Amino acid sequence: MSFERIYRKVQGIVHRARKDYYIKLWDKSDWDQEGMLILYQLLQAHPGIEKKKKKLYSYFKVKLRNYIKDKVRRQKRKK
């Protein structure tokens, strides 16, 4: 399965996080790029996870949200 195809499966999670969190100067393409980076790291750390749909979704969601929360904290700290 191609990377783009796997990303399309989890892209909804990225767009939902975009609605829930605000990061200054990020547009839709930045969110997609960060989501792809998170997915790539996840696929490297857990080979074969793309075959387990529930596990892929839950791991990706947790990893993405933790990453975004960290970015939001850094943004607030700089104010």
Side-chain angles (χ1 to χ4, degrees):
M1 192 178 315
S2 73
F3 180 80
E4 290 82 16
R5 202 167 187 192
I6 298 168
Y7 181 69
R8 273 188 250 127
K9 287 183 177 184
V10 297
Q11 195 172 21
I13 296 169
V14 175
H15 293 282
R16 175 60 196 208
R18 192 175 109 226
K19 290 179 183 178
D20 292 343
Y21 298 99
Y22 171 74
I23 298 184
K24 192 176 178 181
L25 302 176
W26 277 25
D27 61 5
K28 186 177 181 290
S29 63
D30 293 320
W31 281 90
D32 283 327
Q33 186 176 5
E34 294 297 328
M36 287 181 200
L37 180 64
I38 298 296
L39 179 61
Y40 178 78
Q41 292 170 350
L42 184 64
L43 293 173
Q44 293 298 309
H46 303 279
I49 196 170
E50 69 275 5
K51 295 175 186 133
K52 301 169 186 160
K53 193 175 181 180
K54 285 185 180 183
K55 204 172 204 182
L56 173 67
Y57 289 158
S58 62
Y59 279 35
F60 180 79
K61 184 175 181 178
V62 168
K63 192 167 178 65
L64 177 71
R65 293 219 174 224
N66 287 342
Y67 178 78
I68 297 303
K69 287 176 187 177
D70 188 46
K71 288 286 187 185
V72 170
R73 282 189 207 110
R74 288 182 189 173
Q75 178 178 290
K76 287 182 179 181
R77 192 172 56 215
K78 288 181 181 179
K79 285 186 179 180

